């Protein structure tokens, strides 16, 4: 029994220490965001990295998410005789919830994993040590551009996901299920307001910080060799994905 | 001058450096030899300030870097050039960009001046014409030469070489050693070379220090080390299987 308590205590303490270390990393990142010199070229490169890596997958998942939503919601709403509300139901689901969450999950899988692997490889091949030995701060060169890029790119990708999703739903609702195109869009105008768009925006902004924080941290403090990088990459994707869903609930419950 | 006094470091309760004492004179090339796992690279990381010792002091030109951090430590680092074991070239940059990187980031030189300096440095290491190649497109020996050019481009007063010839064939090994000698003559830096290339390292070092089980067991000129009566040194330089050094 004593042994078990000791083990639990040691596990708890190491978890707290790790979390503290991660928070210090995040605070340092935000500190260097506002301290010149700013690396605009690196920022543009990372915006391209996130956007370019994720755009196709966002377009694909966005359109199919909208199509599935249209299909499922149409049959549910028809039971209550409210098919006319299909457009706003799809738009609200996408803007408030599915757009930010699914796009963040897709970017994590696509660009987040690549980011952890890239920084991890830089760590094990001593490229980060080389930067430090040149009296250059690796946070400024590797972490800050990724954090700022993800804060810019995540809301944009979520917005693209929403628009494509709404049009995906339109194709199913109008072309397959025979709904009128006017009903689909006109009801949307009445039900979706700025509050919903703001909620989606807050969510995707916070997901951007979360994903970039976890993926950069895991890469920056990766273990030894190829195995260490592979473990960090898996951990980064799993931790980011789980935290996106948990954080989504908390943000939703506060903002609703 | 670099003075190392009683430096100790452990990882997971395993003592790697066990009280290192060493003085490295200005403009001399000091080789640190010792078997793999004896703590040579860990010692080098302490000199760069990448690791902090649990005990002891490291004085570079009179400044104790174990007590420095942030900008103060960076000021000392500006005196250093480091050639890492694998080269540590930035994968996403070309050979030219890699060598130009410290100049671009740390100096106010114009584009033209940077270009002239980088091309001269690449000429010095025999890599003119390779400017547009990426590190993945060049051989191991070439990577080390690019890394050497990058380490020397800011004309540092102290240059640290972490196993600059490991894994290279004998011809490339000699060419790297020749380059180190040539650049040392040209720039007059204080050099510290981590190596286990015996006897080749004796040709380029002014002094040799042997590290064993985290302590410096012998320091002397190459001649003194070659004629040492210390059984640890004798076994290491002859590569004998019999002697006080554990094989594994």
């Amino acid at each position: 029994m004593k042994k078990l308590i000791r083990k639990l205590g040691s596990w708890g303490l190491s978890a707290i220490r790790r979390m503290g270390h991660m928070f210090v990393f995040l605070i340092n990142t935000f500190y260097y965001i506002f301290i010149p010199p700013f690396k605009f070229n690196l920022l543009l490169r990372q915006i391209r990295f996130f956007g370019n890596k994720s755009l196709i997958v966002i377009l694909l998942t966005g359109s199919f998410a909208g199509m599935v939503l249209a299909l499922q919601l149409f049959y549910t709403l028809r039971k209550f005789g409210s098919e006319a509300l299909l457009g706003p139901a799809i738009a609200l689901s996408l803007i408030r919830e599915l757009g930010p969450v699914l796009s963040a999950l897709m970017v994590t899988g696509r660009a987040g994993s690549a980011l952890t692997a890239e920084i991890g490889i830089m760590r094990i091949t001593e490229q980060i040590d080389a930067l430090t030995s040149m009296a250059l701060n690796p946070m400024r060169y590797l972490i800050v551009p990724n954090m700022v890029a993800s804060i810019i790119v995540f809301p944009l990708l979520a917005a693209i996901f929403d628009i494509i999703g709404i049009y995906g739903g339109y194709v199913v609702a109008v072309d397959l299920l025979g709904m009128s195109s006017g009903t689909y869009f006109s009801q949307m105008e009445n039900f979706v307001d700025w509050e919903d768009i703001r909620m989606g925006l807050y969510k995707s902004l916070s997901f951007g910080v979360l994903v970039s924080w976890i993926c950069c941290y895991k890469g920056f403090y990766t273990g030894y060799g190829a195995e260490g990088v592979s473990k960090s990459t898996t951990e980064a994707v799993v931790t980011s994905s789980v935290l996106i869903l948990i954080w989504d609930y908390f943000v939703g419950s506060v903002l609703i | 001058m670099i003075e190392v006094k009683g430096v100790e470091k452990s990882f997971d309760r395993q003592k790697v450096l066990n009280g290192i004492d060493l003085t490295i004179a200005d403009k001399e090339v000091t080789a640190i030899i010792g078997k793999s796992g004896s703590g040579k690279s860990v010692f080098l990381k302490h000199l760069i300030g990448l690791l902090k010792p649990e005990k002891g002091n490291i004085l570079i030109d009179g400044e104790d870097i174990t007590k420095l951090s942030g900008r103060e430590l960076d000021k000392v680092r500006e005196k250093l050039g480091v050639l890492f074991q694998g080269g540590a070239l930035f994968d996403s940059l070309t050979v030219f960009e890699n060598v130009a990187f410290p100049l671009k980031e740390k100096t106010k030189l114009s584009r033209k001046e940077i270009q002239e300096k980088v091309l001269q440095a690449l000429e010095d290491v025999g890599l003119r014409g390779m400017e547009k190649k990426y590190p993945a497109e060049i051989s191991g020996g070439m990577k080390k030469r690019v890394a050497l050019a990058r380490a020397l481009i800011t004309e540092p007063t102290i240059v640290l070489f972490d196993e600059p010839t490991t894994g290279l064939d004998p011809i490339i090994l000699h060419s790297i050693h020749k380059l180190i000698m040539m650049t040392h003559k040209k720039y007059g830096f204080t050099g510290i070379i981590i190596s286990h290339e015996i006897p080749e390292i004796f040709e380029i070092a002014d002094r040799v220090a042997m590290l064993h089980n985290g302590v410096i067991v012998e320091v002397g000129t190459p001649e003194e080390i070659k004629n040492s009566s210390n059984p640890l040194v004798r076994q290491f330089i002859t590569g004998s299987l019999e002697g006080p050094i554990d094989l594994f």
Side-chain angles (χ1 to χ4, degrees), chain A residues 9 11 23 26-27 31 49 55 61 67 74 78 80 125 131 136 143 146 148 189 205 224 230 253:
Chain A
W11 181 85
F23 271 105
L26 182 66
I27 290 164
Y31 171 75
F49 169 81
L55 193 60
T61 48
M67 288 160 83
F74 183 79
R78 197 164 62 176
F80 303 100
T125 54
L131 274 174
L136 299 169
I143 312 302
N146 281 305
V148 180
E189 261 178 60
L205 276 175
Y224 297 107
S230 130
S253 63

Side-chain angles (χ1 to χ4, degrees), chain B residues 27 116-117 119-125 152-153 155-156 178-189:
Chain B
K27 297 185 190 290
E116 278 169 11
K117 278 195 90 147
L119 292 179
Q120 183 56 52
L122 288 175
E123 178 87 55
D124 287 348
V125 296
L152 296 173
I153 195 82
E155 297 179 20
K178 207 175 153 193
L179 264 174
I180 293 173
M181 283 199 285
M182 194 189 84
T183 48
H184 178 246
K185 208 172 165 186
K186 185 173 173 185
Y187 298 107
F189 53 74

